[in-house]
Amino acid sequence: MLRPIKKGLAFQQITRISVNLHRTSSSSTSSAPTTHKTDLAYAVSDLLHAVEWKENPEFLRLTPSLIPHQVSKIIETHENAKRALEFFFWISGRDFYKHDVSCAMAMLNRLIQVQFFMPMERVAIIMIKGIRKEQELERAVGFLSEIGQRGYRLTLHSYNTILLQLGKFDMISLAQQVYTRMLTEGVNPSLLTLNTMINIFCKKGKVQDALLIFSKIFRCNMNPDAFTYTSLILGHCRNGDVDSAFEVFNRMIRKGCDPTSATYSTLINGLCKKGRVDEALDLLTEMSEKKIEPTVYTYTVPITALCEKGRVEEAIQLASGMKKRGCHPNVQTYTALISGLSGAGLVELAVGMFHKMLKVSLVPNTITYNALINLLCADAKFDIATKVVDMMEQTNYFPNTRTYNEIIRGLCFMEQMEKAMALLGKMVKGGPLPDIVTYNTLIGAYLRLGNHNNAVRLVEFMKQQPCSPDEWTYSELINGFCRCGMLEEGFSLFKGMEGEGISPNHVSYTALIDGCCKQGKIDEALSLFREMEENGCKPVIETYNVLISGLSKGNQLSEAEKLLIKMADQGVQPNVITYTSLIDGLVHNARIESAFRIFHGMENTSCPPNLVTYTSLIYGLCQEGKAEDAEKLVDEMESKGLVPDLVTFTSLIDGFIMVGRLDHAFLLFKRMVDACIVPNYRTYGVLLKGLQKEYQLISESIVSQHETVYSSTAVDTHFNLDLVFHLLTRLSEIGCEPTVDTYNYLITGLCREGRPMEANQLIENMKEKFLSPGLDAYSCLLVAYCKNLEVDHALRVFNLMVDEGIEVRLRIYKALLCSLCQVGRIDKAKHLFEGMLQKEWSVDEIVWTVLVDGFLKQGNLDLCMRFLHLMESRNCRISLPTYAIMNRELSEAGFSTEAEEIADRLSVLRQCNSSEFLPSEHHNLLEVSNFQKDGL
């Protein structure tokens, strides 16, 4: 019992409690001391003694602060059980208060104690209806079973309420127990009871169990109603058995039971899931004819199905039709339409639909936003996609991991790693947390760009997050390293993978085997293949193909044939790549006749040659000087419906140049361009080779006429840019006017060859023709200048890029900063670096790319550390994993003192248990002071 409050002190105590409550939150998570909560329960309990307690101002002021635990305490201990019951019912109807299971249990226990059974059903129903979690429902049902043993019996109404709630949570097992107990206690089920049980079973597709209950309807002299039949239809549809669902539907009509909107909606949903959209639309028309009003759900299902099938126009028409029938689209309808328009690539229509949705005051959900974001990313509108994310946050629909993954995937595809990494940083710091898909996407993108260092660092980074690398992370890394010829690093990762208890998969083994083959290490490749089998990792067709390719190119055809036999024994069928690998190996060993024998054998099997097969043979014929035969082979492949690609045409062009037929080579180039195939630098290089050859022949002829000695050195020196301009002229003459792509390929090619001056002249020539150089052309030119330490030229290109609104990438900043520091332009480097820090880029990526791969890898430790201190002084929040990475990189580079400094800082950070720890103000000022003293 609650101790009574002395009447003389009551008002003072209530006043004190009111003041305390005013200072603290009234929610259940209030940080107010427990004594205040207890005092509040005492005060409210004391006020319940009054006759007019419901009208008492102090009572009305205190009760909104009550939490379920306090209400339970009042119910359990108040002297008058009837008054406690009245209070229970009163507070149950207040908007500010929600009971939990414990409150109702406390009330039921109290009523049993005083043997007051009449109101128990109402209390039990309030308890059951207020439940929002499965665990609470399970607990409540168990409690009701216990008090049944103490004399309380549930009524039919109570049982029906419980079964309905269990149905909402799909708790089949518990529903069966409750139903069995009901029958055992002699409570006769009603049609509602049986319908509820049928529906519970059918929602899970358990039609046979439902039919047993269905038969009881007739045994109880009752008739099934529309809900009964609709539930059975639902059960069949959930099992994908639409035909059986229609049998129930027809039986329903024969029995004179009119189908409802729910009946039709269920059948329409079932048909749509089976892909029978047209039949679903027929049912919708039938509803209209029978004057049965469809719901928004009835329309949304076929609209979604039409969108998934790409029939977006019909979906829009259907949405317009539903409005005419007074049925307005909801969030799900608009989401389906936006998704459909996204899938069809109709950006403007999808965005318009989104705005229309907002106009009718519908709040988009996460699925809606994701659909729109997917579309914007697919259309490379990442800035708008990011704004949509901001809009989500403003409407309290916070983007989930999948939302960010879509944007990151798109940014990676567009090679905008800075923005992708900035999003990762946002996820790590503010959520939602990145998952394995996020990291694998970023790692794969770094590898495709050749940035292996950052790919590995990202693995280290994720290890310190609640996300561990999986077999696909390592497979991607191993494949990336092996693809670039970094076989040793690939093997190191392979061993590290095994050390972490991750079993290598066929992708990892295949990548290593391929790497070994490409470096001519066939014995190592065969050893890996045997190890793969011994470790229970079954080789796949790709594994056999890379090994056969390696053996063929290594002129070990007998071994390749043995492997083909082994494939057959293992039940692995050779495919077109297998045979093409053999052909390619033979071609590279100048065994073109043997290659053609396999080729003709393919034609007689169910494995016809593909484009790559033909291209290998065309290359081989060209290398043997049989360009005309190669061209005939191109005609043959086209007659079979195979379209030559860039490699095919480039090989053929090269073949005709080798036999001295430059004019025909240019005609082939024209044919290629007319087929909408974009040439690359190799294609232009082949043509330049032909022009150079032509120039040499002319020069030799002139020299011969003047009886002087020919010097190839003089010719090579004169080749340079004149030849490139001559190429551009010849292209114009054949009707292939040079495009931005043409110039960009030539510019990037010249830059890679270390000839930035000639590349710059091409850029000037472009501008004269009102063509704008792209990001790649400018970037390659700037990097080429930096490699030559021509920093003034590099800065001029940098300013041009900024003026033209071209976003300068992080790797360009790295090249420019490093070259500036190498020539002693530290102040300029500092100025550029500070400007870069103002960008919304990942601070960690800046450290990895500029400080470590830039300054540290160049051996400039001093600049690395000073620029790190500069970042810290600007409150750049470098993460814990990055400090750990720096510590390792410094140790590996032999800078033990600096590594210890980073290790100490790392230790402090870890003690603070925060990856966003900032150095103290004193530490910052000290470092900035040192920085300024040293001229930075």
Side-chain angles (χ1 to χ4, degrees):
M1 302 289 287
L2 290 170
R3 61 183 176 80
I5 300 175
K6 293 180 181 179
K7 290 183 180 179
L9 298 175
F11 180 76
Q12 294 175 6
Q13 190 165 0
I14 291 167
T15 304
R16 177 171 57 79
I17 294 167
S18 298
V19 171
N20 287 332
L21 285 170
H22 183 69
R23 292 172 181 167
T24 58
S25 170
S26 64
S27 69
S28 59
T29 55
S30 171
S31 58
T34 308
T35 53
H36 293 163
K37 294 179 182 179
T38 309
D39 288 347
L40 177 60
Y42 291 153
V44 172
S45 184
D46 187 61
L47 290 168
L48 287 173
H49 288 97
V51 176
E52 301 296 331
W53 56 274
K54 293 179 187 178
E55 285 75 33
N56 188 312
E58 291 302 324
F59 175 82
L60 294 173
R61 186 165 66 169
L62 292 177
T63 46
S65 303
L66 287 170
I67 59 174
H69 172 72
Q70 294 166 325
V71 172
S72 296
K73 194 71 178 171
I74 293 166
I75 290 165
E76 288 169 353
T77 58
H78 191 75
E79 296 92 333
N80 189 325
K82 187 177 178 182
R83 184 57 55 86
L85 179 64
E86 288 174 6
F87 171 68
F88 175 86
F89 287 142
W90 178 86
I91 203 165
S92 298
R94 303 306 92 169
D95 292 335
F96 61 76
Y97 179 80
K98 295 292 179 189
H99 277 305
D100 65 7
V101 175
S102 299
C103 288
M105 286 182 180
M107 192 69 254
L108 289 168
N109 270 325
R110 189 75 192 275
L111 292 170
I112 282 184
Q113 285 171 10
V114 295
Q115 297 291 295
F116 191 16
F117 294 112
M118 192 185 305
M120 287 184 71
E121 180 176 32
R122 185 181 167 192
V123 174
I125 288 170
I126 287 173
M127 174 175 72
I128 295 296
K129 285 186 174 179
I131 286 172
R132 297 289 179 269
K133 294 180 182 177
E134 283 187 29
Q135 296 84 351
E136 287 185 353
L137 185 54
E138 198 169 340
R139 183 183 167 202
V141 171
F143 175 78
L144 290 173
S145 178
E146 286 174 19
I147 63 173
Q149 297 170 10
R150 292 157 61 188
Y152 174 65
R153 291 287 180 268
L154 292 172
T155 64
L156 175 62
H157 182 42
S158 299
Y159 273 116
N160 283 343
T161 305
I162 293 168
L163 289 172
L164 285 167
Q165 281 293 86
L166 290 168
K168 286 180 184 177
F169 290 101
D170 294 331
M171 299 170 73
I172 295 181
S173 180
L174 192 54
Q176 284 178 291
Q177 292 174 30
V178 171
Y179 177 71
T180 304
R181 179 182 149 203
M182 172 184 173
L183 298 179
T184 304
E185 291 183 358
V187 179
N188 291 323
S190 64
L191 183 60
L192 174 61
T193 317
L194 300 174
N195 274 350
T196 304
M197 287 303 298
I198 289 168
N199 188 256
I200 288 171
F201 283 124
C202 286
K203 279 198 289 184
K204 290 293 184 180
K206 295 181 177 290
V207 181
Q208 293 305 315
D209 292 319
L211 287 172
L212 290 173
I213 306 291
F214 181 73
S215 64
K216 191 171 180 65
I217 292 176
F218 298 102
R219 292 199 304 272
C220 293
N221 294 318
M222 291 183 275
N223 290 314
D225 61 7
F227 185 86
T228 321
Y229 287 113
T230 302
S231 294
L232 290 171
I233 289 168
L234 173 68
H236 286 301
C237 287
R238 287 282 164 92
N239 292 330
D241 189 359
V242 183
D243 293 333
S244 294
F246 270 101
E247 286 176 15
V248 176
F249 179 73
N250 293 331
R251 181 180 177 183
M252 175 183 187
I253 293 170
R254 284 198 306 270
K255 294 289 183 182
C257 184
D258 293 329
T260 63
S261 176
T263 315
Y264 276 102
S265 297
T266 305
L267 281 168
I268 287 168
N269 187 31
L271 286 166
C272 288
K273 284 187 176 176
K274 295 296 286 183
R276 294 158 64 174
V277 187
D278 292 318
E279 292 176 63
L281 294 172
D282 290 340
L283 272 187
L284 198 56
T285 305
E286 187 180 308
M287 286 182 75
S288 177
E289 290 168 355
K290 291 185 176 181
K291 308 294 183 189
I292 298 172
E293 290 301 322
T295 63
V296 66
Y297 173 76
T298 319
Y299 276 104
T300 301
V301 169
I303 285 170
T304 305
L306 285 167
C307 288
E308 286 171 355
K309 284 186 169 288
R311 295 162 64 178
V312 183
E313 247 180 79
E314 293 174 70
I316 293 170
Q317 287 173 5
L318 193 58
S320 300
M322 70 185 283
K323 287 181 186 175
K324 290 174 184 175
R325 293 188 65 177
C327 190
H328 296 285
N330 62 9
V331 174
Q332 287 71 32
T333 319
Y334 276 105
T335 301
L337 288 167
I338 291 167
S339 297
L341 291 164
S342 299
L346 301 169
V347 184
E348 291 181 10
L349 281 174
V351 173
M353 193 67 71
F354 181 78
H355 285 299
K356 195 172 185 180
M357 181 181 182
L358 297 176
K359 194 175 179 181
V360 295
S361 302
L362 286 173
V363 180
N365 58 25
T366 304
I367 300 169
T368 321
Y369 281 114
N370 281 350
L372 188 62
I373 288 164
N374 291 351
L375 174 64
L376 292 167
C377 290
D379 203 45
K381 292 182 168 60
F382 302 109
D383 291 336
I384 301 174
T386 306
K387 286 176 184 175
V388 173
V389 171
D390 295 337
M391 189 190 296
M392 285 182 78
E393 292 172 345
Q394 288 166 14
T395 54
N396 290 325
Y397 269 101
F398 293 100
N400 56 23
T401 303
R402 185 186 166 191
T403 313
Y404 280 107
N405 284 352
E406 285 298 330
I407 301 177
I408 287 171
R409 183 181 59 80
L411 289 168
C412 288
F413 178 76
M414 298 296 291
E415 299 183 1
Q416 296 189 25
M417 292 305 298
E418 295 86 357
K419 291 182 179 179
M421 284 296 294
L423 275 183
L424 175 70
K426 185 177 179 181
M427 292 174 78
V428 169
K429 289 173 184 174
L433 287 176
D435 59 11
I436 192 69
V437 175
T438 320
Y439 286 108
N440 284 353
T441 302
L442 289 162
I443 288 164
Y446 271 134
L447 292 169
R448 284 192 299 278
L449 292 169
N451 194 337
H452 299 82
N453 291 336
N454 280 3
V456 173
R457 289 174 188 134
L458 202 50
V459 175
E460 293 181 53
F461 189 92
M462 71 186 291
K463 284 179 182 176
Q464 298 194 46
Q465 306 296 328
C467 184
S468 301
D470 62 4
E471 60 183 54
W472 294 107
T473 315
Y474 280 103
S475 297
E476 191 79 42
L477 281 167
I478 293 165
N479 195 26
F481 276 97
C482 292
R483 204 166 46 233
C484 292
M486 302 168 73
L487 192 58
E488 191 176 332
E489 290 84 351
F491 271 107
S492 176
L493 282 164
F494 188 80
K495 289 175 184 174
M497 178 184 185
E498 291 178 316
E500 290 190 23
I502 301 172
S503 300
N505 58 17
H506 65 272
V507 178
S508 310
Y509 274 113
T510 302
L512 286 172
I513 290 167
D514 189 36
C516 289
C517 287
K518 282 176 179 171
Q519 291 192 13
K521 299 177 179 179
I522 305 299
D523 290 339
E524 285 186 47
L526 288 167
S527 174
L528 267 173
F529 183 80
R530 288 190 290 271
E531 179 190 313
M532 181 180 184
E533 290 183 303
E534 288 166 6
N535 288 342
C537 186
K538 190 176 180 181
V540 293
I541 185 69
E542 290 79 13
T543 319
Y544 284 104
N545 286 346
V546 296
L547 195 48
I548 286 168
S549 177
L551 289 166
S552 301
K553 286 178 181 173
N555 211 12
Q556 298 186 36
L557 289 176
S558 58
E559 290 297 322
E561 287 173 7
K562 287 178 186 176
L563 206 56
L564 277 169
I565 295 166
K566 185 180 177 69
M567 282 177 71
D569 292 341
Q570 296 294 323
V572 181
Q573 288 297 318
N575 60 14
V576 64
I577 300 171
T578 317
Y579 292 115
T580 302
S581 299
L582 280 168
I583 288 168
D584 197 51
L586 290 165
V587 163
H588 280 82
N589 282 289
R591 296 176 63 178
I592 194 74
E593 289 181 9
S594 300
F596 266 103
R597 276 197 292 272
I598 295 172
F599 172 74
H600 293 310
M602 288 178 72
E603 290 181 315
N604 298 325
T605 65
S606 57
C607 188
N610 65 6
L611 173 64
V612 182
T613 321
Y614 275 101
T615 300
S616 290
L617 289 168
I618 288 163
Y619 171 82
L621 288 168
C622 289
Q623 292 302 304
E624 291 196 354
K626 299 176 180 177
E628 288 184 359
D629 291 340
E631 190 170 16
K632 288 175 184 175
L633 204 56
V634 171
D635 295 335
E636 180 187 315
M637 66 183 281
E638 284 186 312
S639 69
K640 292 182 178 179
L642 295 171
V643 181
D645 65 359
L646 176 64
V647 179
T648 317
F649 272 112
T650 303
S651 297
L652 195 57
I653 290 166
D654 193 21
F656 276 95
I657 283 171
M658 287 171 68
V659 297
R661 295 182 59 185
L662 183 60
D663 289 341
H664 194 74
F666 272 101
L667 288 175
L668 285 168
F669 181 89
K670 175 77 164 60
R671 180 178 165 186
M672 178 178 77
V673 171
D674 289 344
C676 299
I677 298 169
V678 181
N680 63 8
Y681 185 66
R682 166 155 169 71
T683 318
Y684 293 117
V686 167
L687 288 172
L688 283 167
K689 183 179 72 174
L691 289 170
Q692 185 182 34
K693 190 175 179 181
E694 183 183 66
Y695 181 82
Q696 287 173 343
L697 289 171
I698 294 168
S699 298
E700 286 171 0
S701 174
I702 294 169
V703 168
S704 175
Q705 288 175 11
H706 289 82
E707 297 180 350
T708 56
V709 179
Y710 168 72
S711 169
S712 62
T713 307
V715 173
D716 287 341
T717 305
H718 217 72
F719 151 76
N720 292 335
L721 202 60
D722 289 339
L723 207 61
V724 175
F725 281 120
H726 182 43
L727 171 65
L728 295 174
T729 303
R730 287 287 290 268
L731 291 177
S732 296
E733 288 171 356
I734 64 169
C736 296
E737 195 64 38
T739 63
V740 171
D741 286 335
T742 310
Y743 278 99
N744 282 347
Y745 277 123
L746 290 167
I747 289 162
T748 52
L750 287 167
C751 290
R752 288 191 192 105
E753 292 173 6
R755 296 159 65 185
M757 287 302 180
E758 288 98 325
N760 186 62
Q761 288 182 55
L762 273 184
I763 284 180
E764 294 303 320
N765 185 256
M766 277 184 83
K767 290 179 177 179
E768 288 171 10
K769 295 186 177 182
F770 303 102
L771 297 174
S772 299
L775 170 66
D776 289 340
Y778 273 131
S779 297
C780 286
L781 181 60
L782 193 149
V783 170
Y785 277 133
C786 287
K787 283 180 180 176
N788 293 346
L789 296 182
E790 298 175 86
V791 294
D792 288 326
H793 289 306
L795 285 168
R796 178 181 58 79
V797 176
F798 176 84
N799 291 330
L800 270 174
M801 293 175 75
V802 172
D803 291 343
E804 292 181 21
I806 298 172
E807 190 168 1
V808 183
R809 300 281 170 83
L810 185 55
R811 65 182 183 86
I812 307 303
Y813 271 103
K814 181 191 84 171
L816 189 52
L817 288 165
C818 288
S819 61
L820 283 167
C821 291
Q822 277 184 278
V823 298
R825 302 271 293 272
I826 308 296
D827 286 338
K828 184 62 181 176
K830 175 178 176 287
H831 176 72
L832 273 177
F833 189 75
E834 288 175 329
M836 186 182 67
L837 293 180
Q838 293 174 13
K839 294 178 176 289
E840 293 182 358
W841 286 353
S842 164
V843 173
D844 298 304
E845 192 184 23
I846 291 172
V847 173
W848 301 350
T849 304
V850 179
L851 305 193
V852 179
D853 283 340
F855 298 136
L856 190 61
K857 291 289 170 71
Q858 284 187 347
N860 203 329
L861 172 68
D862 187 46
L863 281 174
C864 174
M865 297 303 292
R866 290 180 181 183
F867 273 86
L868 174 67
H869 297 157
L870 176 61
M871 290 180 74
E872 291 174 335
S873 73
R874 296 292 186 275
N875 286 341
C876 294
R877 300 186 177 189
I878 302 166
S879 69
L880 238 168
T882 292
Y883 277 113
I885 288 167
M886 279 207 74
N887 173 253
R888 177 183 58 77
E889 301 261 7
L890 286 164
S891 298
E892 288 176 358
F895 301 119
S896 55
T897 305
E898 289 75 12
E900 285 176 14
E901 179 188 335
I902 296 294
D904 290 341
R905 206 171 313 180
L906 191 58
S907 176
V908 172
L909 286 166
R910 281 176 175 152
Q911 286 172 14
C912 292
N913 196 27
S914 169
S915 62
E916 296 183 6
F917 174 78
L918 294 175
S920 68
E921 184 179 355
H922 173 75
H923 178 74
N924 272 339
L925 290 172
L926 178 64
E927 295 299 344
V928 173
S929 174
N930 290 338
F931 209 86
Q932 289 170 341
K933 282 178 188 176
D934 292 314
L936 287 175

